[in-house]
Amino acid sequence: MRDDLRTKEYFDERATREMAQHLKDTPRDMRETLALACRILAMTGQEAGLAGQISARSERPGAYWTLRFGLGFDEATPGDFIEVDQDLNTLTGTGMANPATRFHLWVYRARLDVQSMIHTHSPWASALAAARQPLVIAQMDMTPLHEDCAFLADWPGVPIADQEGVLISEALGSKRAIVLAHHGYLTAGHTIEEATYLAVYLERAARMQLRAQAAFGPLTPVDDALAREAHDYLLKPSIVNATFNYWCRQTTAPRTGHAAA
């Protein structure tokens, strides 16, 4: 390396300091953040009828918050979230949980670091699941999922019982995402913002993989060391939160254009 070239570590440390200074968090309560996450999922084409699920761990042991069953992501408001216990009894709010969120309980039990989960049958991730293919990290925007996206090769059926929760949580292991063959995907984040960020990038990664394979055949994965470096950089909380805030502004921006005649 030339003597006048500074190291990547120098620029990483500098960027981290400057992001901490300039990228400020937006204060929101948990239910407002969940509602905005739902709107982001809908905005990015991840609406799946009533099959989509989002949850966040409650401060009450063994409980979590989720969108009441019967609503789509695109219509979620903060008041539409309910708190349920380990048997899906509603503790706070009105309505019932999606019965298929039962497997979330098993992930929360196994992973104390997980604070929020998203599961849906988005178009491109579902196509990857239908093809029974794991994710191949072949481009920089895929790297937040490098060594962090598991694969469950066999569909256990509709996840409304305990056995499916055991299978999915074991297959997820310590990773933050999983492609569920013949089904969809799950992201498990340290925050709601992180779970949403991973969900959006997983859907994009699946789209990229299927398009590239259709055009050029098998993909060449990114070098492991470089992918690991990019993974850690792109999952910095400041980047995750700033990206989430940008998507929030997109969902709330006034729409322009002329109404159809």
Side-chain angles (χ1 to χ4, degrees), residues 2-246:
R2 288 172 43 179
D3 292 340
D4 60 336
L5 297 182
R6 288 169 289 184
T7 66
K8 188 174 287 187
E9 288 75 16
Y10 164 80
F11 290 104
D12 187 359
E13 291 172 4
R14 175 179 172 180
T16 300
R17 289 196 311 271
E18 293 182 348
M19 284 188 286
Q21 178 183 356
H22 296 292
L23 300 179
K24 302 300 183 183
D25 288 340
T26 301
R28 303 183 186 94
D29 67 27
M30 180 265 298
R31 280 180 279 187
E32 182 182 7
T33 306
L34 283 169
L36 285 164
C38 287
R39 297 299 178 111
I40 289 166
L41 292 167
M43 178 185 72
T44 54
Q46 302 205 51
E47 182 57 67
L50 301 183
Q53 306 154 18
I54 186 170
S55 70
R57 188 190 295 271
S58 172
E59 293 181 356
R60 194 191 313 245
Y64 64 86
W65 291 85
T66 189
L67 183 65
R68 62 184 175 89
F69 192 44
L71 296 179
F73 288 150
D74 59 322
E75 56 186 343
T77 69
D80 292 319
F81 288 86
I82 59 173
E83 183 187 24
V84 298
D85 67 12
Q86 298 182 61
D87 221 16
L88 301 193
N89 297 307
T90 300
L91 304 174
T92 306
T94 302
M96 63 174 285
N98 183 333
T101 62
R102 188 174 300 279
F103 79 89
H104 293 220
L105 292 164
W106 291 90
V107 177
Y108 284 130
R109 287 177 185 173
R111 293 279 302 279
L112 298 181
D113 61 311
V114 170
Q115 298 299 315
S116 179
M117 281 181 274
I118 291 169
H119 165 68
T120 190
H121 306 166
S122 56
W124 291 98
S126 293
L128 196 66
R132 205 166 178 263
Q133 289 189 25
L135 194 65
V136 178
I137 307 302
Q139 192 268 344
M140 190 181 84
D141 294 343
M142 295 170 151
T143 58
L145 296 148
H146 176 69
E147 297 181 334
D148 232 346
C149 187
F151 180 67
L152 179 60
D154 298 305
W155 182 50
V158 179
I160 59 173
D162 292 332
Q163 292 86 348
E164 293 87 352
V166 172
L167 287 171
I168 292 171
S169 62
E170 288 180 349
L172 177 66
S174 62
K175 300 184 187 301
R176 283 183 266 201
I178 184 170
V179 173
L180 305 166
H182 311 300
H183 191 178
Y185 75 79
L186 171 74
T187 60
H190 299 136
T191 64
I192 300 166
E193 291 88 346
E194 186 179 80
T196 308
Y197 180 87
L198 290 167
V200 173
Y201 275 95
L202 177 51
E203 175 67 358
R204 289 181 181 178
R207 178 179 63 192
M208 197 181 310
Q209 177 170 327
L210 291 167
R211 284 177 167 176
Q213 284 177 336
F216 304 108
L219 304 183
T220 302
V222 175
D223 174 82
D224 275 344
L226 295 176
R228 193 172 299 117
E229 177 185 90
H231 167 277
D232 295 347
Y233 185 83
L234 293 173
L235 279 173
K236 288 180 183 290
S238 53
I239 293 177
V240 170
N241 293 338
T243 306
F244 185 89
N245 289 336
Y246 164 58

